[in-house]
Amino acid sequence: MKYVKYGKCTCCGREYPAVPDLTNCQCGGILDIIYDYDGIRKAFTKDTLRERPDRSMWRYRELLPIEENTPPTPLRVGWSPLYEEPRLADMLDLKRLWVKDDGQNPTASLKDRASAMAVVKAREAGAKVIACSSTGNAASSLAGNAAAAGLETYIFVPSRAPKGKVAQLMTFGATVISVQGSYEETFALSKAAIEKWGWYNRNAAINPYLSEGKKTVAFEIMEQLDWQVPDYIAISVGDGCTIAGLWKGLKDLHAIGFIDRLPRLISAQAAGCCPLNRAIETGEPWKPMEENTLADSIAVGVPRNAHKALAAIRESNGLTVNVSDQEIMAAQGLLGRTCGVFGEPAGVTGTAGVKKLCEQGLLGREDTVVSVVTGNGLKDVANAIKACGEPITIPSDMDRLLEAFAERGVPVS
Ligand SMILES: *Cc1c(COP(=O)(O)O)cnc(C)c1O
Ligand SMILES: [Zn+2]
């Protein structure tokens, strides 16, 4: 890894050689991967990038912690579309708004970026088995990316995980343990099992390479915007790895001179589970909260990456916003109707947050905003139906159709 210097503890500053199975610092702190930006600046330019045919997260190799000869993972991860949404911008009274649809990754969430990185690092470590605990998407993305690479997976999910995600796991051939308990309890069992059997660890926050995969979402947003920095980037937050990765990617681009300023982050959490935002809002250390929201992917009462996430929000002079389940469901419908983008509840929480900040007058017609949709709605159809309703159900009969239209006031001409 030509441009990786070492892993550095975000708590005590201790440095570690960047071996493939790097985990936490001995003080318990989470590591950050440190790069030789001067070296990268010389070898990697916007022109080099423009000529690169690779349309996946691996097109940013110089900024990633992988060996030069490591092959990319088999599934196409990354390079999801960034749509400008002028009609939604008008409705919200924003200057410009873009939606980054990361539900279009191979297993339908942003987590594919981290899991593809886990597969690469597991291969470099010579591991044959990878394990993780997850609210659902880290699991399904790991199972899919590992299956494509011929690796075995052991997956721990809380029993509340939506059926779509569990179906993905079973289809990808993972050994799935559905834990009757909270995400916190699920995490604890996976940790004990990983220690017992020595599997490669894809647990969020423990493996410092995972955020390095997630940061590619920032690279893509900026490249797709032709390096014109938006005022804000909104994203949903659970463990905090995603927002920390997003921020790392932006700082990387700033450090190598690809962008001349940094956007402000918008950290969106569910009102029923917002320990990180509450810490920012009160100025106090974060405290555990109940996991009280239908947005299962961000129902994280004990965030695993609090330190990096809080630092990212603070450094970016970011905004926090907490949305109710009602507001999340409304955002599902809004994105669907106006953009044709189908997000799972946690996937649209960032957009729900943007809408709420507009209503509160904290965002307005001077502002340009990117909202990241982090997961696809097909993963959780039960909640989508709850949010957007049931169809007109009748026999095959024209009279009944006319009746039904009249009853519901459907305009037909
Ligand atoms: C995991 C996930 C998030 C949040 O990422 P964290 O790293 O846990 O903060 C948001 N949305 C979706 C769909 C996710 O799967
Ligand atoms: Zn340390």
Side-chain angles (χ1 to χ4, degrees):
M1 296 189 285
K2 221 155 65 186
Y3 302 115
V4 171
K5 297 215 279 200
Y6 43 78
K8 184 174 179 188
C9 178
T10 52
C11 289
C12 74
R14 194 173 287 135
E15 294 171 8
Y16 294 85
V19 294
D21 56 353
L22 199 59
T23 57
N24 281 356
C25 178
Q26 64 192 67
C27 83
I30 290 166
L31 303 186
D32 189 19
I33 305 298
I34 306 297
Y35 293 84
D36 165 19
Y37 291 122
D38 289 335
I40 297 172
R41 253 176 196 273
K42 286 185 199 118
F44 188 53
T45 65
K46 289 180 187 175
D47 290 331
T48 337
L49 189 58
R50 199 172 298 121
E51 276 148 37
R52 222 165 253 185
D54 183 355
R55 288 283 182 273
S56 81
M57 64 183 270
W58 304 115
R59 70 192 263 102
Y60 307 103
R61 237 165 208 278
E62 285 84 348
L63 287 163
L64 294 174
I66 58 172
E67 299 293 348
E68 279 70 53
N69 57 1
T70 294
T73 43
L75 299 180
R76 187 276 308 153
V77 176
W79 207 256
S80 61
L82 180 79
Y83 300 121
E84 178 152 23
E85 303 289 359
R87 281 187 305 130
L88 188 52
D90 267 355
M91 285 165 76
L92 299 177
D93 215 15
L94 286 169
K95 186 168 170 193
R96 293 181 81 177
L97 173 68
W98 294 263
V99 168
K100 173 80 168 162
D101 186 8
D102 238 45
Q104 289 201 37
N105 276 301
T107 77
S109 81
L110 186 148
K111 294 286 194 304
D112 278 327
R113 299 176 186 274
S115 290
M117 181 61 77
V119 165
V120 160
K121 299 312 286 181
R123 273 176 162 173
E124 288 179 3
K128 299 271 182 292
V129 180
I130 317 183
C132 80
S133 70
S134 155
T135 55
N137 285 332
S140 53
S141 66
L142 177 63
N145 283 279
L151 298 171
E152 214 184 314
T153 48
Y154 286 81
I155 307 283
F156 298 77
V157 287
S159 53
R160 64 152 200 259
K163 282 248 167 4
K165 299 180 187 181
V166 178
Q168 286 184 299
L169 290 172
M170 301 313 293
T171 304
F172 296 139
T175 300
V176 185
I177 301 95
S178 176
V179 179
Q180 293 159 323
S182 66
Y183 173 51
E184 165 71 0
E185 291 162 322
T186 308
F187 191 93
L189 182 60
S190 78
K191 185 162 178 275
I194 287 167
E195 274 161 24
K196 183 169 171 62
W197 285 291
W199 300 323
Y200 188 83
N201 191 340
R202 185 252 179 263
N203 272 342
I206 290 186
N207 183 328
Y209 296 117
L210 301 181
S211 310
E212 300 297 309
K214 286 182 167 183
K215 76 183 181 183
T216 56
V217 72
F219 298 164
E220 289 173 19
I221 291 170
M222 291 318 313
E223 191 180 358
Q224 288 166 323
L225 288 176
D226 199 21
W227 315 109
Q228 300 301 303
V229 182
D231 298 319
Y232 296 90
I233 301 182
I235 200 149
S236 55
V237 176
D239 270 317
C241 303
T242 307
I243 196 166
L246 173 66
W247 185 238
K248 175 76 178 282
L250 293 164
K251 283 199 303 183
D252 281 353
L253 295 177
H254 194 247
I256 62 168
F258 277 29
I259 55 176
D260 56 5
R261 65 185 182 106
L262 289 160
R264 296 173 70 182
L265 300 179
I266 295 173
S267 165
Q269 293 207 283
C273 189
C274 54
L276 293 174
N277 281 355
R278 203 161 64 173
I280 299 277
E281 288 151 11
T282 60
E284 285 172 19
W286 70 270
K287 290 191 220 63
M289 267 183 95
E290 299 216 342
E291 296 172 354
N292 196 0
T293 170
L294 62 77
D296 63 289
S297 304
I298 52 167
V300 179
V302 180
R304 296 284 145 199
N305 215 340
H307 188 83
K308 272 195 201 175
L310 293 173
I313 301 166
R314 290 194 173 114
E315 276 175 42
S316 84
N317 188 23
L319 300 177
T320 61
V321 59
N322 303 314
V323 287
S324 67
D325 283 357
Q326 286 307 323
E327 288 166 324
I328 291 172
M329 291 197 286
Q332 275 192 297
L334 183 67
L335 267 170
R337 283 192 310 276
T338 55
C339 311
V341 171
F342 186 14
E344 66 166 278
V348 307
T349 299
T351 311
V354 169
K355 178 165 183 282
K356 187 162 186 169
L357 290 169
C358 289
E359 286 159 5
Q360 293 173 338
L362 291 165
L363 293 178
R365 40 188 336 104
E366 304 302 309
D367 298 316
T368 59
V369 181
V370 172
S371 186
V372 184
V373 172
T374 49
N376 190 283
L378 286 173
K379 286 171 170 283
D380 183 2
V381 286
N383 274 315
I385 296 273
K386 214 189 277 172
C388 299
E390 298 278 352
I392 296 169
T393 307
I394 48 164
S396 173
D397 178 337
M398 181 49 82
D399 290 337
R400 298 292 293 277
L401 182 60
L402 292 173
E403 265 170 46
F405 278 173
E407 265 165 35
R408 299 201 180 196
V410 177
V412 269
S413 54

